[in-house]
């Protein structure tokens, strides 16, 4: 279908692979977390994998793609869970993991090449007294380019908000897909145009990201006799400006039953708060927990708890992964709970969804406000039932994004304005970057997923 032979000839020394095993492995991401995407994305593969090592080699790839009109899907380490690095129209799988390295660290900021993993970035910044403001729970593997282009936020978002909040991404350098590829530096507000664009508005080559002072962190798993106590304690912990923390997530019973390493630790019927606390705040944290009737069932230095992995690998996107080890059909929608009475809103939803499935809730900042991002865990055998649950959430004032979609508009975590469209047109005039994921016209976006009645996550401020 595409002139791969001549494209490869023009590549010169740029590494490429056409063996089916490599192609299959690199054409997948973590979309299997969604039972719906499992069905719709299965079997979609690229025609070859290309792994440039420098910007010059990347330019050779993009020039060839423009010349032979071959689609290009960028890939970091393929940990995204909306299937957004799966090539819908075949073509070139652009493996960015060889373009790697930290370029500089300054007080409060780092600049790194797109294929650098978040762990690799902190290996350089921590000895200098700085750490990432927040990170996805996939930080061991996730690249900074993939995080900017495909992610949202994560551990630390309780203090610093999410990628789209002003000041977190300081600058992004991107390359266009044209016969003469251009490098464009987007700074400040403009850098957010690339966020959540799924590699369809330019290939990220470098990222400048804001940092926070490095801390020493303690993990704590806390059990509460009732969901109400866990919820109140979690929200209060998030609000306590004097307690240094990086994570506060509230999970209703029986989530702990599904998460195997928690089972021996947490009493039957208990709901939990999982948290990361600055070591200087542990005493205050213990007092707070006791005042809500909670019991700390496990406490340790970050990464040294009895779970065989850091405690944060049971939060955010990882909670689904852990739960699915017990029940592969359990999944979620993505609700944004935002209210001056956050506890009241979550409790109303909890009451209305009684019996649907236990609630998970990540507490974080979003657009300046403390919010909850969460969902009931749902057995996804009946799509109509999931749509009913989305409607109930919406009736209570919760905005809902769709993790069972695979394009930018379908997922609904990016607001698309004129500047986004102008950038897309300019960086990808032939529409070859990750086609179907974010087109100039919504009518051209891929229609491969069932549509839940979701309405996306919007910001108050612009
Ligand atoms: C278990 C689990 C937990 C997760 N937890 C979180 C979480 O806490 N927070 C969160 O935000 N996300 C989370 N995710 C999603 C994902 O891990 C992150 O968004 C991660 O940062 C993606 O990085 P990656 O290098 O694997 O990117 P990939 O998956 O390879 O790519 C992500 C998207 O970016 C595009 N892309 C990749 N590199 C580039 C580039 N250089 N230029 C342009 N486009 C590019 C790809 O085409 C794709 O659309 C989770 C996923 C899983 C499976």
């Amino acid at each position: 279908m595409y002139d791969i032979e001549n494209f490869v000839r023009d590549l010169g020394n740029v590494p490429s692979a056409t063996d089916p095993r490599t192609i299959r492995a690199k054409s997948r991401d973590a979309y299997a977390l969604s039972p719906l995407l499992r069905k719709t994305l299965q079997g979609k593969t690229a025609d070859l994998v290309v792994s440039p090592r420098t910007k010059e080699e990347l330019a050779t790839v993009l020039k060839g793609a423009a010349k032979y009109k071959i689609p290009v899907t960028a890939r970091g380490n393929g940990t995204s869970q909306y299937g957004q690095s799966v090539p819908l129209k075949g073509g070139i799988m652009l493996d960015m993991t060889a373009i790697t390295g930290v370029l500089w660290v300054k007080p409060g900021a780092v600049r790194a090449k797109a294929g650098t993993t978040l762990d690799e970035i902190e290996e350089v910044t921590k000895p200098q007294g700085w750490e990432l403001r927040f990170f996805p729970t996939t930080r061991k593997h996730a690249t900074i380019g993939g995080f900017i282009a495909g992610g949202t936020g994560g551990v630390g978002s309780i203090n610093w908000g999410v990628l789209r909040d002003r000041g977190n991404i300081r600058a992004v350098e991107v390359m266009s897909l044209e016969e003469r590829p251009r490098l464009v530096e987007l700074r400040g507000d403009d850098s957010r145009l690339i966020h959540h664009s799924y590699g369809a508005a330019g290939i990220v080559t470098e990222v400048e990201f804001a940092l926070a002072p490095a801390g020493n962190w303690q993990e704590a798993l806390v059990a509460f006799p009732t969901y109400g106590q866990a919820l109140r304690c979690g929200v209060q912990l998030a609000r306590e400006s004097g307690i240094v923390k990086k994570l506060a997530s509230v999970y209703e019973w029986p989530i702990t039953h599904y998460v195997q390493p928690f089972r021996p630790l947490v009493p039957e019927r208990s709901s939990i708060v999982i948290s990361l606390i600055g070591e200087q705040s542990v005493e205050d944290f213990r007092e707070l927990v006791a005042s809500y009737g909670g019991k700390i069932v496990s406490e340790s230095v970050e990464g040294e708890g009895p779970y065989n992995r850091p405690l944060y690998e049971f939060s955010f996107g990882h909670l689904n992964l852990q739960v699915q080890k017990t029940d592969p059909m359990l999944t979620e929608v993505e609700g944004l709970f935002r209210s001056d009475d956050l506890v009241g809103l979550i409790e109303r939803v909890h009451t209305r969804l009684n019996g649907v499935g236990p609630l998970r809730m990540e507490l974080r900042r979003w657009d300046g406000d403390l919010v909850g991002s969460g969902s009931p865990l749902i057995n996804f055998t009946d799509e109509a039932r999931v749509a009913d649950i989305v409607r109930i959430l919406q009736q209570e004032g919760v905005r809902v994004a769709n993790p069972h979609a695979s394009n930018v508009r379908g997922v609904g975590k990016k607001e698309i304005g004129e500047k986004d469209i102008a950038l897309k047109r300019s960086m990808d005039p032939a529409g070859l970057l990750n086609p179907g994921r974010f087109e100039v016209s919504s009518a051209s976006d891929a229609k491969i997923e069932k549509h839940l009645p979701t309405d996306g996550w919007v910001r108050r401020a612009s």
Side-chain angles (χ1 to χ4, degrees):
M1 182 175 163
Y2 305 114
D3 190 352
I4 301 295
E5 205 179 312
N6 279 315
F7 169 77
V8 172
R9 192 202 55 216
D10 288 3
L11 279 180
N13 289 331
V14 183
S16 65
T18 49
D19 64 286
R21 228 175 125 184
T22 307
I23 290 179
R24 253 198 326 275
K26 295 279 184 188
S27 297
R28 277 200 303 256
D29 61 18
Y31 66 80
L33 284 177
S34 158
L36 268 186
L37 292 176
R38 247 177 251 163
K39 284 190 236 165
T40 50
L41 293 177
Q42 206 176 24
K44 298 202 183 296
T45 53
D47 291 280
L48 83 166
V49 178
V50 183
S51 308
R53 295 159 295 193
T54 60
K55 283 189 223 176
E56 291 70 30
E57 290 191 351
L58 175 63
T60 304
V61 176
L62 296 179
K63 181 180 172 183
K67 180 174 172 191
Y68 295 106
K69 303 208 174 347
I70 308 176
V72 173
T73 305
R75 189 177 196 275
N77 265 317
T79 66
S80 45
Q81 78 272 47
Y82 306 129
Q84 66 264 53
S85 44
V86 174
L88 296 179
K89 300 209 170 155
I92 300 159
M93 177 51 71
L94 177 63
D95 171 8
M96 291 294 289
T97 54
I99 301 185
T100 179
V102 171
L103 295 162
W104 52 250
V105 184
K106 294 180 186 166
V110 61
R111 188 162 175 121
K113 296 185 194 170
T116 320
T117 67
L118 300 179
D119 257 12
E120 286 165 348
I121 290 178
E122 270 202 356
E123 271 166 31
V124 177
T125 62
K126 273 223 160 171
Q128 300 184 46
W130 298 95
E131 64 182 31
L132 294 165
R133 284 184 170 182
F134 54 87
F135 56 83
T137 53
T138 47
R139 56 170 289 157
K140 284 182 197 153
H141 305 289
T143 63
I144 187 75
F147 186 39
I148 301 299
T152 307
V155 182
S157 287
I158 195 166
N159 303 315
W160 296 99
V162 291
L163 287 168
R164 67 202 287 185
D165 285 321
R166 191 173 271 142
N168 286 328
I169 311 172
R170 292 160 52 102
V172 185
E173 185 190 69
V174 274
M175 195 177 281
S176 63
L177 196 161
E178 298 173 283
E179 288 219 23
R180 288 180 166 198
R182 283 170 299 129
L183 271 178
V184 176
E185 173 92 355
L186 300 166
R187 297 203 64 86
D189 282 1
D190 284 347
S191 60
R192 291 186 291 173
L193 299 171
I194 289 298
H195 165 49
H196 236 272
S197 61
Y198 299 176
I203 301 301
V204 178
T205 48
E206 291 178 11
V207 177
E208 213 175 294
F209 202 64
L211 298 172
N216 295 320
W217 302 97
Q218 292 272 338
E219 304 172 342
L221 174 59
V222 191
F224 296 83
T226 67
Y227 178 64
Q229 284 165 286
L231 175 64
R232 282 180 171 70
C233 183
V235 171
Q236 190 54 34
L237 170 59
R239 287 219 169 94
E240 291 285 357
S241 44
I243 295 187
V244 178
K245 69 262 168 188
K246 208 147 77 166
L247 177 70
S249 298
V250 183
Y251 302 146
E252 185 183 7
W253 169 265
I255 288 179
T256 45
H257 171 76
Y258 295 123
V259 179
Q260 291 163 19
F262 291 174
R263 265 190 220 164
L265 300 169
V266 179
E268 282 278 305
R269 312 213 66 77
S270 293
S271 291
I272 56 168
V273 169
I274 66 174
S275 55
L276 260 183
I277 305 295
E279 65 177 5
Q280 65 274 51
S281 292
V282 166
E283 204 179 325
D284 304 295
F285 170 72
R286 288 187 191 136
E287 270 182 14
L288 174 81
V289 164
S291 74
Y292 283 90
K295 181 167 183 247
I296 297 175
V297 294
S298 171
E299 197 179 24
S300 60
V301 170
E302 181 180 4
E304 294 181 12
Y307 325 104
N308 280 329
R309 55 183 68 233
L311 187 57
Y312 68 72
E313 284 191 14
F314 296 88
S315 67
F316 285 89
H318 259 83
L319 182 68
N320 286 354
L321 186 79
Q322 304 296 353
V323 159
Q324 286 189 359
K325 289 179 185 168
T326 302
D327 183 344
M329 287 312 282
L330 277 178
T331 184
E332 59 167 1
V333 293
E334 294 192 304
L336 182 71
F337 292 68
R338 180 181 203 165
S339 166
D340 291 339
D341 177 15
L342 188 56
V343 168
L345 171 62
I346 297 171
E347 285 202 318
R348 267 201 317 282
V349 169
H350 181 244
T351 306
R352 278 206 64 190
L353 291 179
N354 186 21
V356 166
L359 268 185
R360 64 165 303 173
M361 197 64 59
E362 261 64 47
L363 296 159
R364 58 163 101 175
R365 300 230 155 241
W366 170 273
D367 198 12
D369 291 343
L370 177 66
V371 301
S373 55
S375 168
L377 295 186
I378 315 161
N379 192 310
F380 214 146
T381 44
D382 179 351
E383 286 155 28
R385 183 162 167 267
V386 180
D388 286 342
I389 293 163
V390 171
R391 281 189 206 97
I392 292 174
L393 290 168
Q394 289 170 334
Q395 284 161 13
E396 294 298 338
V398 176
R399 306 278 313 198
V400 187
N402 184 0
H404 311 286
S406 190
N407 56 48
V408 175
R409 291 179 179 92
V411 172
K413 283 189 169 174
K414 181 181 181 72
E415 291 157 78
I416 297 167
E418 282 171 18
K419 279 182 120 182
D420 296 276
I421 300 291
L423 183 71
K424 166 75 182 164
R425 280 189 208 279
S426 141
M427 301 301 285
D428 182 25
L432 291 168
L433 285 176
N434 209 351
R437 287 283 163 28
F438 168 35
E439 301 293 348
V440 166
S441 154
S442 58
S444 307
D445 282 345
K447 306 279 181 298
I448 51 166
E449 54 268 327
K450 291 271 186 322
H451 285 286
L452 296 172
T454 46
D455 46 11
W457 291 9
V458 293
R459 289 169 59 86
R460 190 159 39 221
S462 63

